[in-house]
Amino acid sequence: IPLFILAGLLVHCVFLVSIFDIYFSSPLVHGMTPQRTPLPPPAKRLLLFVADGLRAGSLYELSSNGTPQAPYLRGILENNGSWGISHTRVPTESRPGHVALIAGFYEDVSAVAKGWKENPVEFDSVFNQSKYTWSWGSPDILPMFAKGATGDHVYTFCYEAESEDFGAQDAAELDTWVFDHVKSFFNSSRSNQTLFSALNEDKVVLFLHLLGIDTNGHAHRPNSREYKENIKKVDEGIKEIASMIENFYGNDGKTAFILTSDHGMTDWGSHGAGHPLETLTPLIVWGAGVNYPQRVTSQSFEDSFLKEWKLENLKRLDVNQADIAPLMASLIGVPFPLNSVGTLPLEYLNNSARFKAESIFTNAVQILEQFKVKMSQKKKTTLSFLFTPFKPLSDSEQIHFLKKARLYIQQQKYDEAVSLCKSLINLALEGLSYYHTYDRLFLGLSIAMGFVGWTTYVILVIIKTHTSLTKAVQTENKESTVLFYGFASVGMIIGFFLLIQTCPWTYYVYCLLPVPVWYAVLREIPVIQDLAANLMSLHINQSIGFFLTCTLGIEILVFSFFYRSALTIGLLVFAGWPVITQLWVQAKTTALIWTLLCVLLAIFPLMPVVGREPNIPLVIATGLLTLLISFCSLAFLCKSENKYRNSEDLKVIFYQMLSIALSTYVVNSTHDNLKNKKGLPVLNQIISWMTLVSSSMLPLLSSTLLFQRLFSILLSLMSTYLLLSTGYEALFPLVLSGLLFVWINMEQEALQHYGLSLKPKLAVFSFTNATDITQFRQLHLDDIRRSFFFISFCWLLSFFGTGNIASVNSFDPASVYCFLTVFSPFMMGGLLLLKVVIPFVLVSCAFEAVQVTTQLSSKSLFLIVLVISDIMALHFFFLVKDYGSWLDIGTSISHYVLVMSLTIFMMLMNGLAQLLTTKKLELPKRTKHHSM
């Protein structure tokens, strides 16, 4: 079995990693030559203001009394500049947003591994192409552009990382810091001749990263007074900086200004997914080379924002976020960033028709350069007779496009040239995508074959070792030797084919994996023959009915990934299980409690996603309810007979009750302090971390009697879960645990009902006595239902019951405020993951109890669970998209990753559940000393 588990872990790790190679390999290529517009630029310098986390609506909308949220910027877009909406892409996080703005490409998921802070891949940017760039702001953002720059011309000024505190008095101070430091920098330059000369060069960029709005949005929500006041402070700061810059340069009219945002934010203060509130960001451009406001009588957009913002008569110019990089490059005359996929938004430019045509031509050549490098790379690694080029942009077509566009510009047919260049850009981007996804079908089929083979093999292992359906005994014969050499030959042919194409080593793993898997399947031919004979002996209706029931169950599980309400339907079906199987006849009270708890739990998936409506009083009430339940169980234990308890067990429960009481106090105290802007009290932080550490140890000190140990695990995990709760989800583990306790009892009734074993007395059943291998029974059809229950409780209820783990914006940063308030993506992510895992641990421990009380080896039920999980994962593998909206693409990939990582995680969780239920730590006893 250890070898089998190791093979399973390895296979699933390959399946999981494959999705990143197939769908999320880096799109960047290197080796292009820089392209720049040959005409003189309109601006010598550019000021880029990025208001982190600023939503388009929050800036453009008018307040309730009809006044603008940002009077200075409103005046700019009405009288001096051009405006629009910048459409961002998923993931709507700070790093990918800034990379799109400044480097002009949409970053791949490899950046996640570094918290979107470091440079997982080297890339070019507007800052790198500038003569000098000075930047002020967050230590999370600025260093990545300085590290990626060649030479020493990108300078950064950052505040301390500890300043990014969600619990601080006023996060707007982060923006005040930036404005003050910019002012003092320019003042100091007057007495520093070297700096003064550098500032008066051309191709200069000044970047102000303003994090206050984002921090206030996370801490107080975007509709709060703090968020809106921060927008006003930013507006005033920009007004002061713009005025100071104009005075410094003697109003030379050579400064361009851009205000935008990296991403928006949901009403509940999160970002990362594809909600319009997260993807729509403001863009206001003014100054040298920028168009003045264009008055119009009507505009047509799918949304109704123009009317809401009272901007119907000012032309709205929408762009994609990556289009801002070529716009900046064009305004100050630097080469377009080498990896940029943005299209220059010409409507923002106030320049000659020739300048616009030359600029868009340069843009087209720059993107075509990337296409050519990508094509040559793919050509090198593919056999010539197998290579299929991108026909719309063959070598002759490329020459034709470029010659024709150059001719139009020479003939002063600028509109035709612009139109042709835009067509060339679109084709080059299509071609880039074509070559980037060139091997996708081939790799996808290899993984799918491995998947089907592995699932088939696990089914055969279950039938062979845990049922009485087969009689065959495996023997080595001539056929198996031929089979071995046959598969070895296939493997060698595949390896040779990959070798002559100089494929990456990961391709060898994906393409060779199906070979040993299918070899293992075909070695079990006798088992398959016996199984077929057994199925033929069954009634055809029985076989079809069983198959359809299994298929329907799995489809409901898959469906619930997209619609949480499907869980409610599933739970209502579970509620009727005792009635359908006639179990209620022999256990009326247990069946009634089961039905009531199923109905109660069915309410949770219908509730709004966690974090959107914080309700701290409900968390406190849950803490008090947990204390009441603990007190009742303590009283029951004290009254019970001596053989079921000892004083040590009572002490452990008492300590756990104390921990629950402390957690309840900390939640109340922390949120009160944060509400009054007093920050996170150090004492609360210490208690929170101590509770987290002790919660994993205390259950191991309790009795190993079944219900006592499970109750101890619940109390320990509840104390941590309360600290991570902000609303109704605090009740979720309590109700879920109640249902799990009843489930253990119901499974005993089911065993009796099917006459599989005698009913053990659960009150005195101990986990430590449950390892007698001689008492294990063979699998029964009802065990598939048990495994299905486990997956329903474990995966879907635990993970989707109170939110949507597949969507980043389901997570509320307020959940971790008892532990820390200073921004730390990995620490916060780890705590949020722990919150998601807690219900999972509860279900795993209950499943362990079901296995030992129903006399099944943990291996047999676990293998059934593995098969169901793998069939679900195969579903999601085929549902992965690389087209449609970015939200659809991101969600489809996260569903697959979720199922695959949970399958791997479940193997580890199986071991953790055994540790938590069976191990007991003995504290050293104090010895009494007698004086002589």
Side-chain angles (χ1 to χ4, degrees), residues 575 591-601 739:
L592 182 63
I593 297 168
W594 165 268
T595 304
L596 287 173
L597 285 171
C598 279
V599 171
L600 187 59
L601 203 60
L739 186 62

Side-chain angles (χ1 to χ4, degrees), residues 790-811:
F790 170 66
I791 287 183
S792 302
F793 287 141
C794 208
W795 281 16
L796 303 167
L797 271 175
S798 300
F799 285 89
F800 293 98
T802 59
N804 177 9
I805 193 181
S807 171
V808 185
N809 71 14
S810 273
F811 299 118

Side-chain angles (χ1 to χ4, degrees), residues 488-501:
S489 306
V490 170
M492 287 171 73
I493 292 165
I494 292 170
F496 177 71
F497 177 73
L498 294 171
L499 185 69
I500 55 174
Q501 294 196 96

Side-chain angles (χ1 to χ4, degrees), residues 180-193:
D180 289 347
H181 277 70
V182 174
K183 288 173 195 170
S184 64
F185 174 79
F186 273 88
N187 287 335
S188 68
S189 72
R190 296 184 191 278
S191 57
N192 181 337
Q193 192 54 47

Side-chain angles (χ1 to χ4, degrees), residues 131-293:
K131 191 170 282 182
Y132 293 107
T133 294
W134 286 276
S135 54
W136 296 263
S138 164
D140 297 334
I141 298 300
L142 305 190
M144 69 180 174
F145 294 104
K147 283 179 188 174
T150 51
D152 185 23
H153 66 279
V154 179
Y155 304 101
T156 60
F157 304 93
C158 308
Y159 38 73
E160 294 296 317
E162 288 72 30
S163 305
E164 298 173 30
D165 191 343
F166 297 144
Q169 276 197 326
D170 190 3
E173 292 301 319
L174 297 174
D175 300 339
T176 307
W177 185 98
V178 171
F179 294 132
D180 289 347
H181 277 70
V182 174
K183 288 173 195 170
S184 64
F185 174 79
F186 273 88
N187 287 335
S188 68
S189 72
R190 296 184 191 278
S191 57
N192 181 337
Q193 192 54 47
T194 313
L195 180 57
F196 188 81
S197 300
L199 282 167
N200 279 283
E201 294 276 1
D202 56 1
K203 300 180 178 59
V204 166
V205 178
L206 302 164
F207 171 41
L208 282 68
H209 177 240
L210 308 165
L211 187 64
I213 292 173
D214 183 71
T215 309
N216 268 321
H218 284 308
H220 305 289
R221 310 287 187 268
N223 291 317
S224 65
R225 181 180 56 80
E226 289 83 358
Y227 187 86
K228 290 173 181 174
E229 286 294 325
N230 204 153
I231 293 173
K232 284 190 168 60
K233 280 193 180 177
V234 164
D235 183 59
E236 289 161 12
I238 291 172
K239 181 182 178 182
E240 288 171 16
I241 295 293
S243 172
M244 182 202 71
I245 294 289
E246 294 291 14
N247 291 336
F248 183 86
Y249 290 107
N251 294 303
D252 64 352
K254 290 289 180 183
T255 310
F257 300 88
I258 293 180
L259 167 96
T260 187
S261 175
D262 52 350
H263 56 77
M265 190 174 282
T266 59
D267 282 337
W268 49 98
S270 68
H271 55 82
H275 193 282
L277 290 170
E278 297 165 89
T279 58
L280 303 182
T281 59
L283 176 62
I284 302 174
V285 190
W286 71 101
V290 180
N291 251 334
Y292 284 98

Side-chain angles (χ1 to χ4, degrees), residues 543-766:
S543 301
I544 293 171
F546 176 68
F547 177 75
L548 287 176
T549 306
C550 290
T551 307
L552 180 67
I554 290 169
E555 290 306 318
I556 288 172
L557 290 179
V558 170
F559 195 71
S560 62
F561 271 67
F562 299 96
Y563 304 98
R564 281 174 64 214
S565 52
L567 291 175
T568 300
I569 296 164
L571 277 166
L572 294 177
V573 172
F574 282 6
W577 166 56
V579 179
I580 297 162
T581 56
Q582 298 293 306
L583 275 175
W584 68 278
V585 176
Q586 68 191 60
K588 288 188 173 62
T589 310
T590 314
L592 182 63
I593 297 168
W594 165 268
T595 304
L596 287 173
L597 285 171
C598 279
V599 171
L600 187 59
L601 203 60
I603 297 167
F604 284 93
L606 300 176
M607 303 281 274
V609 169
V610 165
R612 300 193 183 182
E613 294 172 17
N615 190 341
I616 300 304
L618 188 57
V619 180
I620 293 158
T622 306
L624 296 173
L625 178 63
T626 312
L627 276 176
L628 181 66
I629 294 167
S630 311
F631 184 77
C632 293
S633 65
L634 193 65
F636 175 77
L637 270 178
C638 289
K639 284 181 183 175
S640 64
E641 294 172 37
N642 285 336
K643 63 178 177 179
Y644 295 154
R645 67 173 175 86
N646 62 47
S647 60
E648 294 300 321
D649 297 339
L650 298 179
K651 276 182 193 173
V652 170
I653 293 180
F654 178 75
Y655 288 137
Q656 289 175 321
M657 286 172 68
L658 185 63
S659 182
I660 296 277
L662 277 172
S663 294
T664 309
Y665 162 76
V666 167
V667 169
N668 187 36
S669 166
T670 300
H671 287 275
D672 274 352
N673 275 281
L674 295 180
K675 200 174 177 182
N676 299 321
K677 296 183 182 174
K678 291 179 182 175
L680 170 61
V682 178
L683 179 65
N684 289 11
Q685 198 172 12
I686 292 167
I687 293 171
S688 298
W689 285 106
M690 283 176 67
T691 302
L692 177 63
V693 172
S694 65
S695 65
S696 59
M697 302 300 294
L698 281 174
L700 301 178
L701 298 170
S702 65
S703 165
T704 54
L705 289 173
L706 189 130
F707 285 119
Q708 277 184 239
R709 175 54 69 95
L710 290 178
F711 188 64
S712 178
I713 293 167
L714 168 65
L715 289 184
S716 283
L717 296 178
M718 265 308 285
S719 58
T720 303
Y721 200 84
L722 285 170
L723 293 169
L724 292 166
S725 297
T726 59
Y728 74 86
E729 83 272 21
L731 276 167
F732 183 71
L734 267 189
V735 181
L736 178 65
S737 298
L739 186 62
L740 294 173
F741 283 138
V742 180
W743 181 38
I744 295 164
N745 281 296
M746 286 296 286
E747 290 298 355
Q748 292 307 306
E749 302 296 342
L751 273 186
Q752 268 193 307
H753 184 72
Y754 293 108
L756 294 174
S757 79
L758 295 170
K759 183 178 176 182
K761 195 173 181 186
L762 290 179
V764 289
F765 194 93
S766 174

Side-chain angles (χ1 to χ4, degrees), residues 334 358 514 663 787:
V334 300
E358 287 283 7
S663 294
S787 303

